[in-house]
Each structure stands twice: as structure tokens, then as C-alpha cells.
């Protein structure tokens, strides 16, 4: 069946970050496609992964780190990002917050997600956008 059922979202904060840093939908899909193949930069547990995303025109090693709430073959929510040079890692308390968020966000129904999109809290990342 492949990844046809997979959906990717970004929260409002990440949407602003992606626009400011010129991060395309294709780059986000690329990061999730790698995760689908088992190529995860760091599995923080509880449905939270850290994934590199390329800076436009540069290699992934010069790019960004993103925090993704992720369930294989189902959904990925980009919730946080930062330039690799700024921050080597997130703090333990932040990691715990992301795990708590993953537990509730990954449990949302399609209808609940649709409402969050309508409220402007999330936006779906279309594959060709």
C-alpha cells in the first residue's frame, strides 16, 4: 500500500518558521519519507523524532533540525525547528513536553484535526506545495 495514507501537518509556529526560512513542502515530505524508510536522525521515544531538513540550496548537514510527532504510515506533525548551528539538542524538559504533545496529538481523530486546521492551529502540508 505504501505511504498513500500518510498525512503531514505543521503547527502554526512551524508554519511561520518554514515561511521565514523558505522551507518547502517537498523538503518536509522528504524528511518524512526518510523516516518511513527507517532513516530517523534521532528517535526521542513516545512518537517524537528529530529529523534533519535541508536548507534551501545546501546540504542537510548545514540545514535545520525539526521535531516531528510521528506515527509511521499515518501522520507526521512538524512542531518545532531550529538551525543546526543554533542548538545541538533540545532540553530534557522540552523533550518531555513534546512526548506529552505527541500522545494527545497522535490520538486525534481526523475530525478533530480538521477542526484544528480550521482554527489555524495546524495546516496540512500538501505534497506538491
Amino acid at each position: 500500500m505504501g505511504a498513500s495514507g500518510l498525512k503531514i501537518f505543521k503547527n502554526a509556529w512551524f508554519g511561520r518558521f518554514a515561511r521565514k526560512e523558505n522551507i518547502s513542502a517537498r523538503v518536509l515530505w522528504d524528511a518524512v519519507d526518510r523516516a518511513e524508510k527507517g532513516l530517523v536522525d534521532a528517535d526521542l521515544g513516545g512518537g517524537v523524532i528529530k529529523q534533519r531538513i535541508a536548507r534551501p540550496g545546501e546540504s542537510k548537514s548545514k540545514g535545520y533540525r525539526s521535531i516531528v510527532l510521528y506515527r509511521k504510515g499515518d501522520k507526521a506533525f512538524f512542531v518545532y525547528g531550529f538551525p543546526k548551528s543554533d542548538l545541538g539538542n533540545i532540553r530534557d524538559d522540552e523533550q518531555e513536553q513534546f512526548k506529552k504533545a505527541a500522545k494527545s496529538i497522535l490520538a486525534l481523530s481526523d475530525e478533530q484535526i480538521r477542526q484544528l486546521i480550521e482554527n489555524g492551529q495546524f495546516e496540512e502540508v500538501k505534497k506538491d506545495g
Side-chain angles (χ1 to χ4, degrees), residues 47-78:
V48 183
I49 62 171
K50 187 165 68 171
Q51 202 64 327
R52 286 189 309 243
I53 46 180
R55 192 181 285 260
E58 305 258 357
S59 69
K60 282 192 281 291
S61 64
K62 286 202 170 58
Y64 304 97
R65 296 280 181 263
S66 63
I67 300 297
V68 187
L69 313 182
Y70 174 68
R71 183 182 291 135
K72 186 173 172 64
D74 185 23
K75 297 181 189 81
F77 293 85
F78 284 84

Side-chain angles (χ1 to χ4, degrees), residues 1 5 21 35 41 59 89 97 120:
M1 175 151 157
E21 302 294 340
D41 292 318
S59 69
N89 219 326
Q97 286 175 330

Side-chain angles (χ1 to χ4, degrees), residues 42-115:
D43 186 343
L44 306 180
V48 183
I49 62 171
K50 187 165 68 171
Q51 202 64 327
R52 286 189 309 243
I53 46 180
R55 192 181 285 260
E58 305 258 357
S59 69
K60 282 192 281 291
S61 64
K62 286 202 170 58
Y64 304 97
R65 296 280 181 263
S66 63
I67 300 297
V68 187
L69 313 182
Y70 174 68
R71 183 182 291 135
K72 186 173 172 64
D74 185 23
K75 297 181 189 81
F77 293 85
F78 284 84
V79 294
Y80 189 60
F82 49 92
K84 185 183 171 199
S85 55
D86 279 13
L87 185 67
N89 219 326
I90 56 171
R91 299 186 320 262
D92 286 347
D93 62 322
E94 291 173 316
Q95 191 167 320
E96 283 311 307
Q97 286 175 330
F98 287 128
K99 284 182 186 177
K100 280 188 188 136
K103 193 173 182 174
S104 55
I105 290 171
L106 291 171
L108 293 172
S109 69
D110 290 345
E111 176 60 25
Q112 289 168 315
I113 291 169
R114 193 183 62 70
Q115 287 176 345

